[in-house]
Amino acid sequence: MKLKVLLTLLAATCSLDGNCTSQKFFHTSHESALRQASAGLQGETDEPMSEVIERALTRAHRQAQILADSMERHQKRLPKTFERGRLRTCDYGDWVSGFFPGTLWMLGEHFADTAMLSEARRITARVEPAKRLKNTHDLGFMLNCSFGHAYRITGETYYLDVLREGAQSLLTRWNGRVGALKSWNTNRRWQYPVIIDNMMNLEFLCFIARETGDKWPRKVATKHANTTLRNHFRRDYSTYHVVSYDTITGRPHAKNTAQGCNDSSAWARGQSWGLYGYTMMYRQTHKAKYLRQARRIASFLVSHPRLPADKVPYWDYDAPGIPNAKRDASAAAIMASALIELSQLDKGPRAAEWLAVAEKQLRTLSSSTYLAEEGEQAGFILRHSVGHLPGGWEVDVPLTYADYYYVEALLRLQKIIGAH
Ligand code: GLY
């Protein structure tokens, strides 16, 4: 009821076409309405959200210091996970290589911690050779999440040069007939596989287009987003994981999963990548169809009967054994970060709900169930993520991308609600 009254008041400040009489006033009243409505949906909680965020960021900062210290002993390596009592590392070519450097940049900047920023600089350099990789689509994750923050924070041309070279490598994976960037190199099963995760590379291409004035990377990004929008989604706006295209006709020849429980299931992290991808593409382009798609995905997810009350998804919304199936903290962290952004871009009636769900997710992830104690699990921040359950690896472990998007979500939310 409270939500309805607030949203009616909010609507009264806007003209019929959605434009507001005063952008400044709208901005302020929209945000405060979101806050109040969100508090109404959330119910009373003991710890104010601003304190949850501060506590969680302080823990994340401490954990990142611990992990950075142990990475000194692993020259040229990047952290991947902590499994069976051991820190597992990878090299620059792993899709996760950029997340820990990115987490260091975000936390170093937030805490004005010059030692952490120096560590971020050292560890980011380990990812540099990825700029020449042409056998993977993951260059957005690898380079934009590491070098992207480095360039944003320092403005140094070295970082931009690496990003430019990396974007050129990524663009070699474009096929105009298909209208998409290829995700994995072909195998017998798939001619031209494109996975929903690939939406996450598009921010990198939009950024490069803006920085260099070259329109092509942005054109590729929008065409890829359009092709994915046409072919990846089901009637209920859940997404397939893998769509493979016939390279002669350019049309899909297979719709499958690799990491979900079956071809028609809703693999949780894939749904979060899709939500994040279309929300981000709306921010980049202001194209209404991307906002519509983001809303539809958000609606599918937040209304899902098998999304638990604490809002941390099972690893697949159709996983066998629910409610005893494994949860995936990474899917929750990515979804929370996307919902926070969507709540700010979407001026429609469900914006408050997007924010309330994200807050609930961050509260849950910041509880003792998910947030590691200081010094635990080699300095990884969150527990209980799932990398690849059908493959039997990284099940119920910490993961660098869960930590990265958790920190990003905390910082995004703090910006909205204010530091104090
Ligand atoms: N991009 C791979 C994953 O989400 O597991």
Side-chain angles (χ1 to χ4, degrees):
M1 209 50 199
K2 189 176 169 190
L3 173 62
K4 219 168 171 180
V5 172
L6 281 164
L7 291 170
T8 311
L9 280 173
L10 187 62
T13 66
C14 300
S15 61
L16 282 176
D17 64 0
N19 291 325
C20 296
T21 46
S22 158
Q23 197 56 40
K24 191 164 180 291
F25 172 72
F26 173 73
H27 194 67
T28 315
S29 73
H30 179 67
E31 284 183 0
S32 81
L34 279 182
R35 294 292 318 136
Q36 292 174 52
S38 169
L41 286 173
Q42 192 82 29
E44 290 306 313
T45 50
D46 292 341
E47 193 180 12
M49 198 64 221
S50 59
E51 288 174 26
V52 173
I53 295 171
E54 207 47 61
R55 173 174 60 76
L57 285 171
T58 303
R59 179 73 52 77
H61 181 225
R62 184 68 197 114
Q63 289 292 88
Q65 280 169 337
I66 291 167
L67 186 50
D69 286 348
S70 44
M71 288 314 294
E72 289 301 311
R73 294 191 296 278
H74 298 271
Q75 289 303 312
K76 298 194 179 173
R77 307 287 294 173
L78 286 309
K80 196 168 161 66
T81 184
F82 182 78
E83 237 174 349
R84 290 184 280 278
R86 280 191 53 201
L87 171 65
R88 309 272 166 185
T89 63
C90 60
D91 72 6
Y92 66 88
D94 194 291
W95 79 276
V96 307
S97 61
F99 293 117
F100 182 60
T103 302
L104 290 176
W105 283 111
M106 286 190 282
L107 290 170
E109 181 186 36
H110 177 76
F111 287 97
D113 179 344
T114 49
M116 184 165 282
L117 290 171
S118 303
E119 197 57 52
R121 192 180 276 279
R122 278 193 292 278
I123 294 198
T124 294
R126 298 181 186 184
V127 187
E128 184 183 336
K131 68 186 179 184
R132 282 186 283 273
L133 293 176
K134 297 192 175 72
N135 62 351
T136 173
H137 74 138
D138 285 319
L139 294 168
F141 285 129
M142 296 167 175
L143 294 172
N144 205 35
C145 296
S146 55
F147 280 78
H149 282 294
Y151 179 63
R152 181 181 61 75
I153 292 168
T154 69
E156 291 172 21
T157 50
Y158 156 68
Y159 292 119
L160 183 58
D161 290 344
V162 172
L163 289 162
R164 280 153 85 134
E165 194 173 341
Q168 290 313 313
S169 298
L170 177 57
L171 288 167
T172 64
R173 300 183 70 77
W174 169 254
N175 176 320
R177 178 158 294 274
V178 171
L181 294 155
K182 184 159 71 173
S183 291
W184 300 323
N185 287 347
T186 49
N187 62 17
R188 256 179 291 169
R189 187 175 184 199
W190 294 311
Q191 288 184 38
Y192 194 96
V194 177
I195 62 173
I196 187 66
D197 324 27
N198 204 337
M199 285 296 299
M200 299 298 285
N201 289 307
L202 308 185
E203 184 158 22
F204 180 31
L205 295 180
C206 292
F207 162 78
I208 286 295
R210 241 189 347 268
E211 280 298 317
T212 62
D214 176 5
K215 294 196 174 77
W216 178 239
R218 184 182 162 93
K219 194 148 195 149
V220 166
T222 51
K223 281 174 180 283
H224 183 102
N226 295 344
T227 303
T228 302
L229 199 154
R230 265 198 312 279
N231 296 317
H232 256 81
F233 291 88
R234 308 183 183 106
R235 279 171 187 271
D236 61 4
Y237 299 104
S238 65
T239 173
Y240 290 97
H241 182 199
V242 188
V243 173
S244 180
Y245 294 86
D246 180 312
T247 50
I248 295 168
T249 65
R251 300 197 51 75
H253 74 85
K255 299 192 178 190
N256 302 115
T257 194
Q259 282 162 263
C261 71
N262 62 60
D263 289 346
S264 53
S265 75
W267 172 51
R269 195 164 51 256
Q271 313 309 305
S272 296
W273 292 140
L275 174 64
Y276 194 114
Y278 283 99
T279 304
M280 173 276 295
M281 281 304 285
Y282 177 63
R283 162 166 48 86
Q284 295 289 345
T285 65
H286 302 293
K287 286 183 192 291
K289 64 181 170 184
Y290 297 151
L291 176 60
R292 269 199 306 276
Q293 190 69 6
R295 279 184 184 140
R296 286 163 171 162
I297 302 167
S299 178
F300 170 77
L301 295 177
V302 307
S303 315
H304 200 288
R306 289 185 293 281
L307 179 67
D310 65 15
K311 310 297 180 198
V312 174
Y314 298 100
W315 69 278
D316 190 307
Y317 288 83
D318 302 297
I322 288 174
N324 298 317
K326 297 285 182 206
R327 304 290 195 95
D328 182 7
S330 76
I334 298 157
M335 183 174 158
S337 192
L339 285 175
I340 293 165
E341 172 151 81
L342 185 59
S343 77
Q344 302 305 290
L345 297 173
D346 184 358
K347 306 305 177 196
R350 295 188 74 182
E353 193 183 347
W354 312 145
L355 191 62
V357 172
E359 287 196 11
K360 182 71 184 170
Q361 289 176 315
L362 291 180
R363 277 185 187 278
T364 307
L365 294 176
S366 306
S367 72
S368 57
T369 306
Y370 286 93
L371 187 60
E373 294 299 327
E374 184 174 320
E376 264 185 17
Q377 50 178 35
F380 284 84
I381 301 165
L382 291 178
R383 307 183 184 115
H384 304 311
S385 287
V386 171
H388 194 323
L389 194 140
W393 38 270
E394 296 174 351
V395 178
D396 201 6
V397 293
L399 291 167
T400 49
Y401 43 101
D403 291 356
Y404 176 95
Y405 289 101
Y406 175 59
V407 169
E408 181 186 84
L410 290 168
L411 293 172
R412 282 182 169 181
L413 188 57
Q414 188 174 65
K415 211 164 166 188
I416 295 168
I417 69 178
H420 303 288

